[in-house]
Amino acid sequence: MNNSNHHGGRSVLASLRAVIPVRPLDFPEAMQIAELQAARLLELSDSTEGPVDSAVITELPRIRVRRVELPTSGMSFWDGHNWVIALNSSEPTTRQRFTLLHEYKHIIDHGATDRLYTGVGRHSPAQQAEQAADYFAGCALMPKRLMKRAWGQGLQRPAALARHFGVSERAIEVRLAQLGLVDPRLRCAPPSTVRPTHRPRQTYFRLLSPHWASRGLTPVIGGAP
C-alpha cells in the first residue's frame, strides 16, 4: 500500500471530493460518483490487487478512528481538529471494516450533500446519502474487477468470497447482485430519476449523547474542512 497521503499537492480527501461535479445530480449520477471515488481511493493507495487494508483510511491525516460502545454501527464528526470515525467495538471486524468505509464516504460528502442527494419519492436525501455510503464501501472493499476475477477462478460461494475480501456474507451477497453475478431479483431496485420540485437544506450531523463525551467523542458544529 502506498502510504503517501498527498498526490500532486492535493490530499486524498481533496482528490476524492474533486470528483463531485459542482452541479446538482440525480441519484443514479450520485451513485456513479460513489463508485468513481472508491476506485480513485484504491488507485491513490495502491490497493488495486487485493483485499483493502483498513490502513487506507486509518493512516490518512486528520482522520482519527475510535472503537467504543455505540447504539449504532458507527458515526463520523469533526471535533475541531480532526475527523473522527467512531466504530461499534462490539461488532465483528468485518462489519467494522464496512462501517469505516461507509463513514469515510460521509466525510467525503461534507459540503456537497445538497447537490449529491436531492431526495425523490419516498427516499429522503438522508436515505440516499446512506445508500451511497453503503455503495461506496462495497465498491472499495469488493472492487468489481477483483470480484469478477475471483468468481471466474471458481471462488463463488458467499462464505469463501467473504473470507477472501474480509467482509460479511451479507455484504458479498449484495455486491454479487449489484454486479449481476447472481439472481438479478436480489438487486436493489434502481433509484428513480425524477427530480423533486424543491428540496430542503440537509445537515448531516450525528448527535452524541452526553455520556459519550467521556470517551472523547466531542463533536464541533461548524468549521469542518
Side-chain angles (χ1 to χ4, degrees):
M1 184 184 71
N2 184 352
N3 290 320
S4 175
N5 293 313
H6 289 77
H7 303 265
R10 173 181 284 176
S11 71
V12 170
L13 182 57
S15 295
L16 299 181
R17 285 176 172 170
V19 176
I20 304 172
V22 295
R23 59 178 176 81
L25 306 176
D26 59 34
F27 191 48
E29 288 179 304
M31 294 290 269
Q32 291 174 359
I33 292 299
E35 185 170 7
L36 289 172
Q37 288 170 326
R40 181 64 174 152
L41 174 64
L42 300 183
E43 177 187 347
L44 292 174
S45 60
D46 287 342
S47 300
T48 57
E49 290 301 323
V52 178
D53 193 318
S54 295
V56 166
I57 304 301
T58 60
E59 292 184 359
L60 290 175
R62 306 187 85 177
I63 295 288
R64 299 293 180 268
V65 178
R66 307 279 183 83
R67 288 174 171 80
V68 296
E69 294 181 8
L70 294 173
T72 185
S73 290
M75 60 180 61
S76 52
F77 59 89
W78 176 251
D79 70 356
H81 303 282
N82 299 289
W83 283 105
V84 177
I85 297 176
L87 304 176
N88 190 332
S89 59
S90 67
E91 292 191 336
T93 301
T94 53
R95 179 63 183 174
Q96 291 186 41
R97 275 167 46 80
F98 193 92
T99 301
L100 177 67
L101 271 296
H102 174 107
E103 293 300 329
Y104 187 60
K105 171 59 172 166
H106 286 310
I107 293 172
I108 297 170
D109 288 348
H110 179 75
T113 53
D114 280 354
R115 61 181 188 270
L116 280 169
Y117 313 116
T118 59
V120 63
R122 292 177 295 176
H123 297 282
S124 69
Q127 290 172 324
Q128 290 182 336
E130 293 301 316
Q131 291 177 42
D134 276 350
Y135 189 57
F136 171 84
C139 291
L141 292 170
M142 299 161 279
K144 179 189 298 184
R145 182 175 62 84
L146 298 185
M147 282 285 289
K148 290 191 172 183
R149 183 170 70 185
W151 183 270
Q153 292 174 344
L155 199 64
Q156 299 182 1
R157 292 182 179 275
L161 284 166
R163 287 192 297 272
H164 179 71
F165 286 97
V167 298
S168 68
E169 287 189 43
R170 176 56 183 160
I172 283 290
E173 290 168 354
V174 170
R175 190 67 175 133
L176 288 173
Q178 290 172 345
L179 297 175
L181 295 175
V182 294
D183 189 339
R185 289 175 298 177
L186 298 177
R187 301 188 204 183
C188 296
S192 170
T193 58
V194 178
R195 288 178 180 268
T197 55
H198 63 85
R199 52 192 169 91
R201 180 175 179 80
Q202 292 294 314
T203 301
Y204 293 95
F205 178 76
R206 289 161 174 72
L207 296 178
L208 305 180
S209 65
H211 75 276
W212 290 343
S214 64
R215 296 184 172 90
L217 303 181
T218 308
V220 174
I221 300 177

